[in-house]
């Protein structure tokens, strides 16, 4: 049995989550996938997968082998691509993850253009706000916003993400517009639930820090939902401009406390360390860099800036 075929079967099972899903992905019979994984375990003399009736997991040896196997397969593919014509059609599987609302609002044009230009690439886009493990879950690329917790990842900064404090005109008419961050303690806060314990932090032009204890009227783990609740007049929210720009342009929301700065976040493209990117991943990464570096649709130009 080809050792690379054993590795492909093993990686396929790990990243698909089951022998059946791996068989479908690899276009093999389930029995063939199972046999190749068993042959690999027998040849290595260790158990790589822990099999129960309810779940399929990795042993410690399996986790280490998965990282090595994935890197070997990627290097093999890179070697094959390096000697093929750069004009040959891209093909194969590309697995990408991105934040939910950012992906829904801004990635569709990039994804559709890439898929149209490369019909032989099977692109899997996972839109999710959780921090996925790129290596463990088999992702080639990730778009991430904010602080990069895993310093081992290779990162390319695409753009800044500005945060704004907003409320609806109707809410401000009833409750008044705060002119200082500490006045937010008298207002209803609409808070991003995944970071509910993190206070809103403001700095004035002299660098002084203000952290108001904002009453939490409503919590949600989705920025799109918070934008809708703020537009409906439920309270004050702090959200990225890439979510807010349509509501601001339509007048449904108004930016407040403009003299006090909020910490900016960053939009990054990241990929796992210790391996070359496949040519299809490099092309998609370049498409993302072109789309989200420099001018972006959610930031106003100088003439239209508020």
């Amino acid at each position: 049995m080809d050792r690379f075929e054993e590795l492909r079967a093993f990686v396929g099972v790990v990243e698909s989550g089951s022998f059946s899903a791996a068989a479908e992905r690899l276009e093999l019979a389930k029995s063939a996938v199972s046999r190749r994984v068993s042959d690999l375990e027998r040849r290595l003399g260790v158990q790589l997968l822990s099999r129960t009736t309810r779940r399929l997991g990795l042993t410690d040896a399996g986790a280490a082998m998965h990282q090595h196997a994935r890197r070997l397969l990627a290097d093999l593919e890179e070697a094959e691509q390096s000697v093929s014509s750069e004009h040959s059609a891209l093909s194969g599987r590309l697995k990408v993850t991105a934040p939910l609302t950012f992906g829904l609002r801004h990635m569709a044009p990039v994804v559709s253009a890439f898929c149209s230009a490369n019909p032989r690439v099977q692109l899997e886009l996972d839109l999710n706000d959780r921090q996925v493990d790129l290596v463990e879950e088999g992702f080639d690329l990730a778009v991430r916003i904010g602080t990069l917790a895993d310093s081992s990842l290779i990162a390319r900064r695409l753009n800044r993400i500005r945060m704004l404090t907003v409320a609806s005109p109707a809410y401000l008419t009833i409750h008044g517009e705060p002119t200082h961050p500490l006045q937010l303690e008298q207002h209803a806060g609409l808070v991003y639930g995944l970071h509910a314990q993190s206070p809103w932090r403001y700095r004035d032009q002299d660098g002084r820090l203000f952290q108001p204890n904002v009453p939490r009227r409503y919590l949600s783990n989705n920025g799109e939902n918070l934008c809708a609740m703020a537009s409906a007049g439920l309270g004050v929210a702090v959200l990225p401009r890439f979510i807010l720009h349509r509501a601001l342009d339509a007048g449904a929301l108004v930016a407040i406390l403009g003299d006090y700065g909020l910490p900016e976040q960053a939009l990054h493209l990241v990929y796992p360390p210790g391996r070359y990117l496949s040519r299809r991943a490099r092309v998609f990464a370049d498409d993302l860099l072109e789309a989200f570096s420099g001018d972006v649709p959610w930031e106003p130009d100088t003439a239209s800036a508020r």
Side-chain angles (χ1 to χ4, degrees):
M1 174 63 66
D2 187 334
R3 291 186 178 186
F4 280 107
E5 293 306 317
E6 293 176 354
L7 294 179
R8 286 192 179 96
F10 170 64
V11 171
V13 170
V14 173
E15 297 181 356
S16 300
S18 71
F19 284 90
S20 298
E24 181 177 352
R25 169 176 156 181
L26 297 172
E27 297 183 348
L28 294 170
K30 180 181 176 181
S31 58
V33 174
S34 179
R35 183 173 61 256
R36 291 180 185 184
V37 173
S38 296
D39 289 344
L40 177 62
E41 290 179 317
R42 188 178 305 108
R43 183 165 55 80
L44 296 176
V46 295
Q47 183 179 357
L48 301 175
L49 297 172
S50 57
R51 305 165 176 85
T52 68
T53 56
R54 292 188 175 182
R55 64 185 298 272
L56 186 68
L58 281 170
T59 64
D60 290 342
M65 188 62 187
H66 175 241
Q67 294 192 32
H68 290 301
R70 194 170 187 273
R71 187 178 301 117
L72 282 169
L73 293 174
D75 289 345
L76 174 63
E77 180 181 358
E78 181 69 20
E80 292 173 343
Q81 290 185 357
S82 68
V83 296
S84 65
S85 171
E86 280 294 313
H87 300 289
S88 63
L90 297 179
S91 62
R93 176 173 168 266
L94 179 62
K95 192 174 180 182
V96 181
T97 182
L100 175 61
T101 300
F102 183 84
L104 290 173
R105 284 205 166 210
H106 300 291
M107 287 189 65
V110 181
V111 171
S112 61
F114 177 85
C115 290
S116 296
N118 304 284
R120 294 177 58 189
V121 174
Q122 180 191 30
L123 177 59
E124 298 180 23
L125 179 62
D126 180 274
L127 299 180
N128 202 309
D129 288 335
R130 69 184 178 91
Q131 291 285 306
V132 303
D133 187 318
L134 300 189
V135 174
E136 182 68 24
E137 300 183 48
F139 285 97
D140 299 288
L141 298 169
V143 175
R144 287 188 172 167
I145 295 172
T147 303
L148 298 179
D150 187 348
S151 60
S152 69
L153 296 174
I154 309 300
R156 296 175 67 181
R157 190 179 188 275
L158 298 178
N159 218 310
R160 66 172 183 165
I161 298 292
R162 284 201 301 147
M163 306 296 291
L164 299 177
T165 309
V166 296
S168 71
Y171 175 88
L172 296 176
T173 297
I174 296 172
H175 300 280
E177 179 176 342
T179 58
H180 189 280
L182 294 182
Q183 293 177 1
L184 290 173
E185 296 181 351
Q186 309 304 316
H187 286 265
L190 311 179
V191 181
Y192 187 61
L194 295 181
H195 305 289
Q197 302 305 315
S198 299
W200 295 348
R201 296 179 174 88
Y202 297 84
R203 290 192 183 273
D204 64 14
Q205 295 179 354
D206 295 323
R208 289 175 296 189
L209 176 65
F210 303 96
Q211 296 184 180
N213 184 19
V214 184
R216 294 164 183 164
R217 179 183 182 187
Y218 180 80
L219 281 75
S220 174
N221 68 347
N222 181 260
E224 187 82 32
N225 178 259
L226 287 170
C227 180
M229 296 302 103
S231 299
L234 267 66
V236 179
V238 172
L239 291 168
R241 204 180 199 287
F242 75 80
I243 292 177
L244 296 170
H245 71 111
R246 295 174 186 168
L248 291 169
D249 292 343
L253 290 173
V254 176
I256 60 175
L257 296 173
D259 292 334
Y260 298 88
L262 287 159
E264 283 191 359
Q265 300 187 41
L267 178 69
H268 285 100
L269 174 65
V270 301
Y271 56 93
R275 54 161 292 188
Y276 292 106
L277 284 179
S278 65
R279 188 158 64 95
R280 58 182 174 273
R282 292 201 308 268
V283 170
F284 189 70
D286 289 342
D287 289 349
L288 291 173
L289 188 65
E290 181 179 357
F292 300 127
S293 295
D295 295 334
V296 285
W298 59 84
E299 287 288 352
D301 57 28
T302 304
S304 62
R306 293 183 182 274

